[in-house]
Amino acid sequence: AGLTAMGLGPGEHLKLVPGGLLGGVVKPEEFDHFHEMIVQEERVRHFCPGWEDGLEGGNAISIPVILKYGNEWMKKEVLPPLIMGETVSCLSITEAYAGSDVAAIRTTAKKDASGENYIVSGTKKWITTGQYSDWFVTAVRTGGKNAAGVSMILVPKSDQVICSKIKTKYSSAAGTVFIAYEDAVVPTKCLFGKEGKGFQIIMSNFNHERWMICVVNLARARKCTEETFKWAMQRKIFGTKLVEQAVIREKLAQMFSALETVTALQYEVTYSMCQKGSQSPLLGGRIALLKYTVTRVCHLIADNAVQILGGRGVTRTGMGRIVECFHRVYKIPAVYGGSEEILADLAVRMAIKAFPAEAKL
């Protein structure tokens, strides 16, 4: 069907899908970010976040690095099986010592005596789908301190790449792991681009990743809002429907207005991506602002939904399952892909940078 390929956005890789996208529903050359948005929204309707991320989360944020910066052998040998779902990859950047501060990573890659291989040593943490991955798109330090010493390398699964399961707030089906690279031998041909260019690769990959996070979490927020509205319309309290209580209508209005407002921003950003490309420097600040707004809206919706559903909103089964699940996992996207504080600061700093010097009150 090409679901993995479509989750990566528009591009030549869509032509690798035999039989066409969804059997020919849309042509590869016609596929844009609005089509991708629909694919991302539909894949989360099951409301099983761990399972959903285990299926596509790691691929969706790691394969773009291979598409944009991979060598020819990667695109010929590694990419097709990934697109077809025969193999799995993950993005291995975050460490216990370095989260949003990517330039502070400690994992190293040093050439051996022959100069033909890198020896990769270090650890990574909270890596989605790492448990199942055949390939690890890994940030390493090949040079000195700070961003200039960071490189990106494609590490194959081996006995020297040890993955240990981490239990997070959502299902272990996401395959979230702690990775230990114990002197893993990696051929130099696995380097993306040149040494010292890893930080730029990481930053260029963030726009699409953050947009995708926004899309799937807004879809979940909308589903949670729908379930809450249904409950308010059917639940009776003090002899009348719950929705007839003014305080409940106020909470619903907060949910509706916040959801529709941020959805409009998402559509505007998506349109801009179609026109300018997801990596346009004009979009970095807007996507950062979108993600910050989405996670704040998710907080409001999760809180109001639980208050309206009461005990059912904190029960994992039954009529409140979706609300309970959303409230349990909604905070995770506020951390990964860039924390709220980092992205809010990025958006404002970019606005300051573009501020015209002659503008005065």
Side-chain angles (χ1 to χ4, degrees), residues 114-144:
S114 71
E116 296 180 356
N117 302 293
Y118 286 104
I119 306 301
V120 180
S121 303
T123 60
K124 301 291 182 179
K125 197 169 185 179
W126 303 293
I127 307 304
T128 304
T129 70
Q131 193 73 46
Y132 323 119
S133 289
D134 304 282
W135 299 96
F136 300 78
V137 178
T138 307
V140 295
R141 185 164 299 284
T142 54

Side-chain angles (χ1 to χ4, degrees), residues 1 5-7 63 65 73 78 90 113 118 126 151 168 185 194 197 225 231 240 278 301 348:
M6 290 188 289
I63 296 178
V65 178
W73 79 268
V78 178
C90 65
Y118 286 104
W126 303 293
S151 301
T168 62
V185 179
K194 298 179 180 179
K197 298 299 182 182
T225 301
W231 177 250
T240 61
S278 63
I301 288 175
V348 175

Side-chain angles (χ1 to χ4, degrees), residues 45-47 220 223-224 227 315-316 318-327:
R45 286 193 182 276
H46 296 286
F47 232 95
R220 289 170 181 155
K223 182 65 175 177
C224 178
E227 294 291 299
T315 303
R316 291 197 177 195
M319 290 183 284
R321 180 188 77 85
I322 286 175
V323 170
E324 185 280 331
C325 180
F326 185 70
H327 188 269

Side-chain angles (χ1 to χ4, degrees), residues 212-284:
M212 181 188 69
I213 292 170
C214 293
V215 170
V216 298
N217 283 284
L218 267 188
R220 289 170 181 155
R222 185 171 293 276
K223 182 65 175 177
C224 178
T225 301
E226 291 173 0
E227 294 291 299
T228 304
F229 193 25
K230 290 175 186 176
W231 177 250
M233 292 296 292
Q234 74 182 59
R235 172 67 165 172
K236 287 189 176 181
I237 184 171
F238 303 123
T240 61
K241 289 182 179 180
L242 190 60
V243 77
E244 294 179 14
Q245 301 292 324
V247 66
I248 298 300
R249 293 197 298 273
E250 167 65 14
K251 288 186 179 296
L252 289 170
Q254 291 174 2
M255 297 166 74
F256 295 169
S257 62
L259 184 61
E260 293 305 312
T261 301
V262 74
T263 298
L265 177 58
Q266 176 185 289
Y267 287 175
E268 184 267 318
V269 168
T270 304
Y271 177 79
S272 295
M273 288 170 61
C274 292
Q275 300 300 308
K276 300 178 174 66
S278 63
Q279 302 309 321
S280 169
L282 300 175
L283 288 174

Side-chain angles (χ1 to χ4, degrees), residues 69 102-103 105 109 111 118 138-153 191-203:
Y69 303 102
V102 175
I105 64 164
K111 287 184 179 178
Y118 286 104
T138 307
V140 295
R141 185 164 299 284
T142 54
K145 297 179 179 180
N146 301 322
V150 176
S151 301
M152 289 293 285
I153 192 169
L191 180 71
F192 288 100
K194 298 179 180 179
E195 288 190 5
K197 298 299 182 182
F199 189 77
Q200 292 92 322
I201 293 174
I202 294 167
M203 292 299 106

